Amino acid sequence: MSHLTENNLTAQTLEYPVCSEWKENPEGSMFHLAHMLLVLGFMGGSGFYGSLYMFSFLTLGFFCYSIWAWSDPCTTDSFSWTFALFAFCLAQVVHGSYRLRSVTFDKEFQDLYDHMFKKLGVSLTHFGKIVECCEGDIYTIDKDHCFAVEGKTSIDKLSVLISGRIRVTVNGEFLHCIYPFQFLDSPEWDSLRPSEEGIFQVTLRADSRCRYVAWRRKKLYLLFAQHRYIAKIFALLVRNDIAEKLFSLNEKAFDTRGFRYDLRLPSFCHGPEPEIENTSESRPVLGQSETKPTERDS
């Protein structure tokens, strides 16, 4: 009998408690606000800005949840957990804000990123390392001043034009112009190995007031050694810039007959072939070639 009584008591304790009556008043506004903020936080996307958005709303949500849990005098567990989650999310927001400062650039560097690096999928973090390599400096060339002089200026950096226009000449003859967000010295950079030194074979003169960014060769090669991804990005940009310069020269090149050279068809770049002359000396040769088969038949 006692055994049955113990079983009944155990079954009653295992049963889920039934709510005797509903609360007349709903939970406070802080409880509902906390859940709304949490929902908005969990809707955050991926990536740097998505993470910052998510943790910002989660921080506000868990903070409101902590205030609501503090008002419950019966337990401290809910307040402890929500406050711990609030502190964790707040730390993530502070860390993300610190990283955001390191990927915020001046207008000229932001334009450089938008025009050259963003389309290649380069992250702001990697671009920040590129900016650090040039120490965030922007240089100025006044009108009619030279960036490089033919046969005198050494090749010791890689530069990109930010604004203005540069005229390129060789022996006083005009070759082409360099426009914003094009390299100033990509052919010279690509023609030298890291251990080699050289001088410019062309003159670069400013047609207007110009602004450009420059990376020293040693620092840039050190950055390439540390980050192979950045080295591949620069190799792609430099070679693409050289190709654009070659095709700009191709538009101005004509042969003696007035035809435009095409760099994609090397055979077309050769001079005109001499025409075959129909002289009397050539006719016996044709005759001999015609008579030889008949002699063989005989």
Side-chain angles (χ1 to χ4, degrees), residues 39-239:
V39 169
L40 292 175
F42 289 125
M43 292 173 62
S46 60
F48 177 76
Y49 291 102
S51 176
L52 190 61
Y53 166 88
M54 179 182 67
F55 282 110
S56 298
F57 276 98
L58 290 181
T59 301
L60 295 175
F62 284 121
F63 177 72
C64 295
Y65 217 139
S66 300
I67 295 177
W68 174 84
W70 180 259
S71 61
D72 188 2
C74 299
T75 180
T76 58
D77 294 340
S78 58
F79 172 78
S80 301
W81 273 106
T82 52
F83 188 81
L85 293 172
F86 159 73
F88 173 77
C89 293
L90 181 61
Q92 292 293 326
V93 171
V94 173
H95 177 67
S97 301
Y98 177 78
R99 289 181 57 196
L100 184 62
R101 290 185 56 188
S102 63
V103 296
T104 303
F105 311 102
D106 296 335
K107 182 180 182 303
E108 290 174 314
F109 281 108
Q110 188 65 43
D111 293 340
L112 177 65
Y113 174 75
D114 293 337
H115 284 83
M116 297 185 64
F117 295 91
K118 185 177 181 179
K119 59 185 178 182
L120 298 178
V122 179
S123 65
L124 290 174
T125 304
H126 283 100
F127 184 70
K129 298 182 183 298
I130 296 173
V131 174
E132 289 178 2
C133 184
C134 68
E135 299 179 354
D137 294 331
I138 301 290
Y139 303 92
T140 302
I141 308 177
D142 294 328
K143 183 179 179 181
D144 295 331
H145 284 64
C146 292
F147 172 82
V149 179
E150 179 182 353
K152 295 182 179 180
T153 306
S154 60
I155 305 170
D156 58 354
K157 57 181 175 292
L158 180 65
S159 308
V160 175
L161 186 64
I162 302 297
S163 62
R165 187 178 66 179
I166 298 289
R167 177 181 294 266
V168 182
T169 59
V170 57
N171 296 327
E173 297 183 2
F174 171 75
L175 291 179
H176 61 89
C177 286
I178 300 176
Y179 298 97
F181 307 110
Q182 291 183 343
F183 285 97
L184 294 173
D185 43 10
S186 55
E188 290 78 11
W189 171 272
D190 195 62
S191 63
L192 296 178
R193 295 180 180 178
S195 59
E196 296 179 344
E197 296 182 357
I199 57 176
F200 278 84
Q201 302 301 317
V202 294
T203 298
L204 282 73
R205 185 184 300 273
D207 275 351
S208 60
R209 189 173 184 271
C210 300
R211 301 268 290 172
Y212 71 95
V213 58
W215 294 271
R216 294 293 176 182
R217 287 188 67 194
K218 293 183 179 179
K219 287 188 175 181
L220 196 55
Y221 278 123
L222 180 61
L223 180 66
F224 292 167
Q226 296 174 350
H227 303 278
R228 298 300 301 169
Y229 172 75
I230 297 178
K232 293 179 180 179
I233 292 296
F234 266 89
L236 178 61
L237 290 172
V238 167
R239 291 165 186 173

